Amino acid sequence: MAAKAATDEKEAKPLRHGYTTGSCATATTKAALIALITQEEQSQATIRLPIGEDVTFQMESCEFSLEKATASTIKDGGDDPDATHGALILSTVEWSDEPGIILDGGLGVGRVTKPGLPVPIGEAAINPVPRKMIRETAQAVLDEYGTQRGVKIVISVPAGEEIAKKTLNGRLGILGGISILGTRGIVVPFSTSAYKASVAQAVNVAKEAGCDHIVLSTGGKSESYGVATYPELSEEAFVEMGDFVGFSLKQCKNKGMRKVTLVGMMGKFSKVAQGVMMVHSKSAPVDFGFLAQMAADAGASQERIDEILGANTASQVGDMMVDTPAFFEIMCENCCRAALKEVGGGIEVETIIITMKGSLLGRVTINDTGDESNWNRG
């Protein structure tokens, strides 16, 4: 069974929130430790989330012996499920000869191999907040039962290695499985926290790897184009920003990047050109009036402008204007200037717009690192 909130009020909301892998790992740890101490099966565990909410998690299983106990729960991502939604999260707790609490990752929990992450190289990819949650919860249980013995806690996700293929972990240097994440304990529907955290970590890893030029892409196809365009750049330099253009740009600026290249397609970049920095389809619709104005600036006929105003998708507009390079140059320039405005200037920004099939439509660079702005088309 999935985790259930302590009150029905949360469940009554149109968009139901879920719980992080860190919360699940904490709850299973509590259930396993109590089972180990009491030698009684635990069907649920109630924990306090970082946001101050008490939540009860139902256990999928709970097994124990005199020396070891394992409990599991199924992660519920709520109404905005991510790659880990439905994953089985396990915690195995066993008595240790060493005093205190030892925490590690087992099967399906990744291990850190690159600098720039909030966890040291060589350790299990259990982020700081979940580590704190798990340790404090375990200590509270030990204190409650007056137990002085040391324990070893191992968090596992049986399907974690397969799930990790759908995440940025490989690029970040987290190998062998997923990360145990969470800062608030809950996953808010349509929230951006998890993806933003991945982008921030990716930019930081790039910085630690010595990169000063980051290629931000909206997805796999645009990233592939970026890799082909800049084969000399290291793997760490390529970051999938998804819909979070503004946030990603600011991360690059904050980490002192000299140059940022944006690679994407008509739909999302038609929004960036207007200064819209969160380009999810639910956040901002395509403005065909704006596209029509750029077409007019590029010298399009009134007939073509009228066609654009009646178009269904930005990609369709791109097809209409494919024989008018000036249109895409104008759009790329607008994207660059909007990006520079977003970060307050001081960096070089390049925009590359491609088709769904991976063909180049437009490419413009504006260098705002000197006293004067210089821009090049190409």
Side-chain angles (χ1 to χ4, degrees):
M1 293 177 65
K4 296 296 183 182
T7 67
D8 293 333
E9 182 182 349
K10 299 292 182 184
E11 299 289 334
K13 290 186 177 181
L15 294 177
R16 183 176 58 84
H17 68 230
Y19 299 95
T20 63
T21 47
S23 294
C24 294
T26 302
T28 54
T29 296
K30 183 174 183 178
L33 182 51
I34 293 175
L36 179 61
I37 294 171
T38 65
Q39 291 294 291
E40 295 177 358
E41 182 179 352
Q42 304 297 305
S43 61
Q44 61 184 32
T46 300
I47 63 169
R48 171 63 60 94
L49 302 182
I51 59 171
E53 178 184 346
D54 288 329
V55 177
T56 299
F57 289 75
Q58 303 300 321
M59 294 301 110
E60 189 72 10
S61 65
C62 182
E63 301 175 354
F64 57 89
S65 66
L66 291 174
E67 295 298 320
K68 181 188 297 187
T70 299
S72 69
T73 192
I74 294 178
K75 181 181 181 293
D76 177 7
D79 287 332
D80 190 27
D82 61 11
T84 60
H85 176 66
L88 190 68
I89 312 291
L90 296 90
S91 179
T92 298
V93 182
E94 60 183 314
W95 297 121
S96 172
D97 294 332
E98 298 181 34
I101 298 170
I102 301 169
L103 176 60
D104 201 0
L107 176 69
V109 172
R111 203 153 289 271
V112 175
T113 66
K114 291 182 181 181
L117 295 168
V119 176
I121 291 175
E123 291 195 15
I126 303 173
N127 272 19
V129 172
R131 280 177 182 268
K132 184 171 184 286
M133 290 172 66
I134 294 167
R135 287 181 174 278
E136 289 184 351
T137 299
Q139 189 61 57
V141 171
L142 292 171
D143 292 344
E144 180 183 351
Y145 287 92
T147 303
Q148 302 296 320
R149 299 180 68 179
V151 293
K152 180 179 181 181
I153 302 166
V154 177
I155 307 301
S156 303
V157 184
E161 191 165 4
E162 191 64 29
I163 295 170
K165 295 176 182 177
K166 303 174 185 177
T167 72
L168 297 175
N169 276 18
R171 181 67 51 80
L172 295 173
I174 300 171
L175 304 181
I178 66 168
S179 301
I180 303 300
L181 303 172
T183 55
R184 302 177 70 232
I186 63 171
V187 179
V188 179
F190 308 116
S191 72
T192 61
S193 57
Y195 201 96
K196 280 184 175 179
S198 295
V199 170
Q201 288 184 357
V203 174
N204 202 45
V205 167
K207 176 69 173 180
E208 293 291 330
C211 302
D212 68 351
H213 177 191
I214 293 280
V215 179
L216 297 175
S217 59
T218 54
K221 185 163 295 197
S222 53
E223 182 180 78
S224 295
Y225 192 93
V227 171
T229 303
Y230 287 104
E232 72 276 13
L233 295 182
S234 65
E235 179 186 51
E236 291 84 1
F238 299 92
V239 177
E240 281 194 33
M241 64 180 169
D243 297 324
F244 312 115
V245 182
F247 175 83
S248 303
L249 283 165
K250 288 176 180 176
Q251 290 297 310
C252 292
K253 174 71 181 296
N254 292 342
K255 291 298 178 181
M257 293 298 158
R258 172 186 60 84
K259 179 177 179 178
V260 178
T261 295
L262 304 174
V263 188
M265 301 177 194
M266 277 289 298
K268 296 184 188 299
F269 277 21
S270 67
K271 301 173 186 179
V272 175
Q274 288 182 268
V276 176
M277 292 291 150
M278 172 38 175
V279 294
H280 192 282
S281 59
K282 292 183 174 63
S283 299
V286 173
D287 185 338
F288 293 97
F290 177 74
L291 294 177
Q293 183 57 56
M294 285 194 294
D297 294 342
S301 66
Q302 186 60 49
E303 182 181 1
R304 180 51 48 84
I305 291 169
D306 290 340
E307 288 177 351
I308 291 173
L309 289 170
N312 292 319
T313 66
S315 179
Q316 185 181 2
V317 174
D319 292 341
M320 292 176 184
M321 299 300 293
V322 73
D323 294 327
T324 310
F327 172 80
F328 301 103
E329 290 174 355
I330 290 170
M331 183 179 291
C332 287
E333 182 186 354
N334 285 340
C335 287
C336 289
R337 296 200 183 283
L340 287 168
K341 181 179 179 181
E342 180 74 5
V343 301
I347 61 173
E348 183 176 347
V349 177
E350 176 183 34
T351 298
I352 299 174
I353 299 177
I354 61 173
T355 66
M356 295 284 286
K357 295 182 179 179
S359 299
L360 180 67
L361 289 173
R363 182 178 181 182
V364 169
T365 301
I366 298 182
N367 188 344
D368 192 48
T369 57
D371 294 331
E372 296 182 4
S373 295
N374 301 300
W375 65 286
N376 301 296
R377 299 178 179 182

